[in-house]
């Protein structure tokens, strides 16, 4: 009797263990099968902002080729500024523009392109990635823009009237983007008797360069005695960003703005000999998406700030 009970309990325990093992095996098998459901589409090529040597990333696995063209088209021609190729799909993101990874070839000049060490401000570039099975099929299709198609199988391509090359989105993706590292200037407007003020566009890492053209008929020299910039569209002492004045020692104290010693071109933040700054130019410079008021005056200025004031002029602009 005890022997039968023991055998029954053993059988039940063995059955439970078998069920558990079977469930685990099925779970493992399901997980294994899930990873072989097919290659993902190449997509979402992303470019790092705020630099002339951006990192390039993408979705869709390792690739064999990365190209960068000047302009809005991806193609094998003289618009290439960088093209690298590695045997097998061994390139993984991020890839830093201009840096050829170990084992890769730099092929830019093979198609008439010119390698750039870094990209250029305000220029538009097209960045693209491609897997080896497609590259081997299209590497001789020069001068024809590449576009991706979700209707083609991996590695397939179609040439349409020698003007467009459709490539499978399983093997290729691209994006187009403008380089915008520096602050840009827009809507520059001139006012005042003394002259017209120009602000360089785009602004670079040294800050905007300022020049001016004297238009007041009785002023014969281009040098000025004072300059300043305000945040906003009108003069407001509480919003001064930077100012610069000529300075002359006297028995009564320093005379400010009474000698034309400031010459152009001038960078905001500069302090030439014979001048004094009361509001230091901020390290971060002028900012995007703001309005600014910039003014100049010469040694005969009476300190007023109207449009009709002689020996004084100003300009307004916005940034983006």
């Amino acid at each position: 009797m005890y022997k039968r009970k023991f055998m029954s309990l053993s059988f039940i325990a063995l059955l439970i263990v078998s069920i558990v093992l079977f469930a685990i095996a099925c779970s493992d098998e399901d997980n294994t099968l899930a990873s072989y459901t097919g290659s993902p589409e190449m997509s979402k090529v992303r470019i790092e902002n705020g630099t002339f040597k951006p990192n390039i990333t993408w979705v869709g696995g390792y690739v064999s080729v990365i190209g960068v063209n000047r302009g809005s088209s991806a193609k094998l021609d003289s618009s290439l500024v960088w093209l690298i190729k590695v045997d097998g799909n061994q390139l993984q993101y991020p890839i830093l523009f201009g840096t050829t990874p170990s084992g890769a070839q730099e092929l830019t000049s093979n198609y008439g392109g010119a390698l750039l060490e870094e990209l250029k401000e305000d220029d538009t570039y097209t960045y693209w990635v491609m897997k080896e099975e497609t590259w081997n099929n299209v590497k001789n299709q020069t001068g024809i823009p590449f576009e991706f198609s979700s209707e083609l199988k991996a590695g397939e391509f179609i040439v349409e009237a020698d003007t467009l090359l459709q490539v499978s989105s399983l093997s290729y993706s691209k994006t187009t983007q403008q380089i915008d590292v520096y602050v840009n200037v827009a809507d520059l407007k001139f006012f005042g008797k003394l002259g017209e003020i120009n602000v360089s566009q785009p602004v670079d890492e040294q800050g905007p360069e300022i020049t001016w053209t004297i238009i007041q008929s009785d002023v014969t020299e281009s040098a000025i005695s004072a300059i300043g910039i305000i945040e906003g569209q009108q003069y407001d002492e509480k919003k001064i960003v930077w100012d610069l004045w000529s300075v002359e020692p006297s028995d009564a104290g320093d005379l400010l703005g009474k000698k034309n010693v400031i010459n152009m071109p001038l960078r905001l933040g500069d302090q030439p000999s014979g001048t004094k700054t009361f509001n230091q130019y901020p390290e971060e410079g002028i900012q995007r998406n703001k309005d600014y008021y910039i003014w100049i005056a010469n040694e005969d200025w009476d300190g007023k700030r109207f449009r009709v004031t002689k020996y004084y002029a100003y300009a307004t602009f916005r940034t983006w």
Side-chain angles (χ1 to χ4, degrees):
M1 180 177 179
Y2 291 109
K3 186 175 181 181
R4 286 180 182 177
K5 288 183 178 179
F6 177 78
M7 290 178 65
S8 298
L9 291 173
S10 298
F11 176 79
I12 292 171
L14 180 62
L15 180 61
I16 292 172
V17 170
S18 298
I19 291 171
V20 171
L21 290 175
F22 178 77
I24 293 173
C26 289
S27 177
D28 288 344
E29 184 177 3
D30 288 344
N31 289 339
T32 302
L33 289 173
S35 64
Y36 291 96
T37 56
S39 300
E41 285 193 333
M42 301 293 299
S43 64
K44 297 181 180 177
V45 177
R46 292 193 176 97
I47 310 303
E48 181 184 10
N49 291 318
T51 175
F52 298 117
K53 294 176 71 71
N55 275 306
I56 303 170
T57 62
W58 61 91
V59 172
Y62 295 175
V63 299
S64 186
V65 178
I66 295 178
V68 181
N69 293 77
R70 182 181 284 105
S72 57
S73 295
K75 50 188 174 181
L76 301 175
D77 69 357
S78 60
S79 67
L80 281 165
V81 297
W82 193 48
L83 179 66
I84 58 171
K85 160 71 169 62
V86 68
D87 292 335
N89 295 316
Q90 298 298 318
L91 292 175
Q92 54 182 302
Y93 63 80
I95 296 292
L96 183 66
F97 173 83
T99 301
T100 303
S102 176
Q105 298 174 281
E106 198 278 300
L107 303 176
T108 311
S109 62
N110 291 25
Y111 295 93
L115 178 65
L116 289 181
E117 293 185 4
E118 61 179 30
L119 303 177
K120 306 298 183 183
E121 176 72 8
D122 285 343
D123 280 356
T124 297
Y125 297 94
T126 296
Y127 309 80
W128 51 279
V129 294
M130 186 176 286
K131 291 185 179 291
E132 187 168 48
E133 62 267 34
T134 294
W135 172 255
N136 289 335
N137 290 333
V138 304
K139 61 185 178 182
N140 295 320
Q141 301 290 333
T142 58
I144 306 175
F146 299 158
E147 291 292 343
F148 50 81
S149 170
S150 59
E151 298 179 359
L152 299 175
K153 296 180 181 179
E156 291 184 340
F157 72 97
I158 298 174
V159 178
E160 296 185 354
D162 293 330
T163 60
L164 182 66
L165 193 152
Q166 290 194 10
V167 182
S168 171
S169 57
L170 295 173
S171 305
Y172 165 74
S173 188
K174 70 165 188 170
T175 191
T176 298
Q177 187 170 304
Q178 184 184 42
I179 293 292
D180 184 20
V181 176
Y182 300 134
V183 173
N184 294 276
V185 173
D187 293 342
L188 182 64
K189 299 175 182 177
F190 314 108
F191 306 92
K193 293 280 190 178
L194 180 60
E196 295 180 349
I197 307 169
N198 186 63
V199 182
S200 62
Q201 206 288 116
V203 175
D204 63 21
E205 72 276 1
Q206 300 177 57
E209 184 178 80
I210 309 302
T211 58
W212 51 87
T213 301
I214 300 299
I215 60 174
Q216 189 171 325
S217 60
D218 60 338
V219 176
T220 59
E221 63 175 319
S222 62
I224 58 175
S225 64
I227 184 172
I229 186 167
I230 315 295
E231 184 181 327
Q233 288 283 304
Q234 59 187 5
Y235 187 84
D236 184 342
E237 286 189 356
K238 297 178 182 179
K239 296 183 179 181
I240 296 175
V241 176
W242 172 76
D243 57 2
L244 180 71
W245 301 77
S246 69
V247 58
E248 287 185 282
S250 74
D251 294 339
D254 290 343
L255 297 176
L256 300 176
K258 294 302 181 182
K259 189 173 183 179
N260 294 330
V261 296
I262 303 171
N263 293 290
M264 61 176 179
L266 180 78
R267 294 276 184 176
L268 294 186
D270 284 354
Q271 188 168 344
S273 176
T275 63
K276 185 173 183 178
T277 296
F278 290 92
N279 296 275
Q280 297 294 328
Y281 190 64
E283 185 176 344
E284 64 274 16
I286 61 175
Q287 303 298 295
R288 292 182 189 270
N289 304 314
K290 289 183 178 293
D291 294 321
Y292 288 96
Y293 172 111
I294 185 168
W295 60 271
I296 60 173
N298 82 354
E299 59 191 18
D300 295 315
W301 175 45
D302 64 6
K304 296 178 181 178
R305 297 181 181 275
F306 303 117
R307 287 195 190 188
V308 296
T309 300
K310 290 185 176 181
Y311 312 110
Y312 179 82
Y314 64 96
T316 60
F317 62 92
R318 63 179 179 84
T319 58
W320 56 278

